[in-house]
Amino acid sequence: MPDLSGRVVVDIHHHAGPDLYRRRLTSVAAGRAYAEVGGWVVLKSHLTSTAARAWEARQEGLPVSGSLVLNELAGGVHPRAMEQAVYAHGPDSPARLIVHLPTLVGPAHASALRRTSFHPLLDADRWRGDRVLNSDGRLRRDVREVLRAARDLPVAVATGHSDRQAALRVVDEAVRLGLPRLLLTHATHPMSGFTLDDLTELSQVPGLYVELTALTLLLGHRDVDHLGELVHAHPRVVFSSDLGQPDQPDVKEWLDLSERWFHTARLTNHQIGAITRANPANLLRP
C-alpha cells in the first residue's frame, strides 16, 4: 500500500475520467503517470466521487487518493454523500478524502478551455445549483451540516467554486466548529477573488491552506510573479496542477514547466518543497 512519504510531488487536484468533460487519462492511467515521476495524486471529478476508483488504484500499488465534489449531480450537499465516499475510500487510506463544496454553482465561469462533454446526454448547465449562501448572506443549513459532519471524518474540506464572501463564511464556520483542515480552492483566481492582503490576514487561521493551480498560470489569470508573492503572503500555499485536459500539459511536462516557474519566481528549495510536497501532504495526512 503506497503512502505519502518521500514523494517528489503531491498533486491534490488532477482531473481524470470519467468527468463532466473528456480527460487525458483514466484514473488508473493517472496513477501510473504519477508513479513514474515519484508523485502522489488526488483525483477529482465534478461528475462523481473518485473515492472507489482511488481505492482500486491503491490495491494495484498506485499512489492515488480520492475526492468528492458536492454537486447535485454527484449526490448534493449532504453528509450521507460524504460518508459514503469515506467508506468507499477504504479504511486504510494514507490520505484524507478531499470534500469540495459545490463547483457547479451560479452562472457558468467563462473558461478559455476547449471542452468536449464526456457524455452526449450531459448538459452541465442543467445541474447548476445555488451557491453556499442564502439570500441573507448566511451559510445554508445543509452546508453547515456537512461542515459539522466533516469535523469527525477523515476528510479535508475545500471551498469549491465559492466566491470570496462565501468562502469567508465557510472559514468562519470552520473556525467555530474546530474543523482541523480547510482549503481555499483557487484562492486568488478571479472567480474566488482573494487578494494577497486577504491571505496574509488569514494566515493566522490554523489549518487553513491556500491553493494556486498551474492551470491558473497557464490560462493567464495570474502570472509567475504572483506565485512568488503568494508564497510570501501565506505559509500554507499548495501548488496543484488542475490539469488532465487533453490539450494541456501532461504530468511530466507540468513538472518541467513548474521548475522554470519556480526559478523565475526566485523560490528557494525550501519554499518549493513546501508548496509541492510538505503542505499538500500535511493537508492530506490523517
Side-chain angles (χ1 to χ4, degrees):
M1 178 66 65
D3 61 35
L4 291 171
S5 62
R7 297 290 166 178
V8 171
V9 64
V10 177
D11 184 4
I12 66 164
H13 191 157
H14 183 90
H15 292 278
D19 201 350
L20 287 181
Y21 307 105
R22 296 204 177 274
R23 302 304 187 187
R24 177 188 289 270
L25 299 172
T26 65
S27 299
V28 170
R32 289 173 180 157
Y34 278 85
E36 288 176 2
V37 300
W40 184 276
V41 63
V42 180
L43 302 178
K44 183 176 180 181
S45 171
H46 300 280
L47 174 66
T48 183
S49 166
T50 65
R53 285 185 266 160
W55 178 84
E56 291 186 353
R58 287 198 307 278
Q59 305 318 298
E60 301 300 319
L62 297 175
V64 180
S65 57
S67 66
L68 168 67
V69 183
L70 295 173
N71 291 323
E72 285 299 317
L73 190 56
V77 185
H78 301 291
R80 286 185 180 179
M82 180 171 58
E83 291 173 17
Q84 188 276 341
V86 166
Y87 304 150
H89 203 220
D92 55 353
S93 173
R96 289 173 179 252
L97 181 86
I98 297 183
V99 177
H100 295 264
L101 294 177
T103 57
L104 291 176
V105 291
H109 169 68
S111 175
L113 293 170
R114 292 180 296 169
R115 301 187 290 195
T116 302
S117 177
F118 174 73
H119 194 288
L121 297 179
L122 176 58
D123 177 4
D125 288 338
R126 173 190 165 205
W127 291 95
R128 292 193 173 277
D130 295 330
R131 298 186 182 276
V132 302
L133 300 183
N134 291 321
S135 58
D136 61 2
R138 297 183 180 183
L139 282 179
R140 287 168 22 200
R141 179 178 178 180
D142 53 0
V143 175
R144 289 187 279 110
E145 289 174 349
V146 161
L147 294 177
R148 188 178 302 111
R151 180 180 55 188
D152 301 318
L153 292 170
V155 302
V157 176
T159 53
H161 287 185
S162 298
D163 60 20
R164 180 181 179 278
Q165 180 189 12
L168 285 173
R169 297 291 78 75
V170 173
V171 171
D172 289 343
E173 184 69 1
V175 170
R176 189 184 73 81
L177 292 170
L179 202 65
R181 321 278 173 89
L182 181 66
L183 175 70
L184 292 180
T185 316
H186 298 300
T188 58
H189 189 286
M191 69 180 171
S192 301
F194 282 94
T195 67
L196 294 173
D197 287 343
D198 288 333
L199 299 177
T200 297
E201 184 174 347
L202 288 170
S203 66
Q204 302 304 313
V205 177
L208 182 65
Y209 293 76
V210 169
E211 181 193 38
L212 177 66
T213 74
L215 188 61
T216 296
L217 300 183
L218 287 166
L219 296 181
H221 296 304
R222 292 289 180 261
D223 59 20
V224 176
D225 288 341
H226 176 78
L227 167 61
E229 293 165 350
L230 179 58
V231 170
H232 287 93
H234 195 281
R236 291 176 297 278
V237 172
V238 173
F239 186 69
S240 64
S241 73
D242 194 14
L243 296 177
Q245 302 82 6
D247 58 349
Q248 294 296 327
D250 64 21
V251 176
K252 292 180 180 178
E253 291 171 333
W254 165 54
L255 293 177
D256 290 342
L257 182 58
S258 296
E259 283 190 18
R260 297 198 291 272
W261 285 338
F262 299 153
H263 176 75
T264 301
R266 298 184 178 181
L267 299 185
T268 66
N269 288 336
H270 177 76
Q271 289 169 329
I272 295 169
I275 67 175
T276 61
R277 296 187 297 274
N279 290 345
N282 287 336
L283 173 70
L284 295 177
R285 282 196 179 98

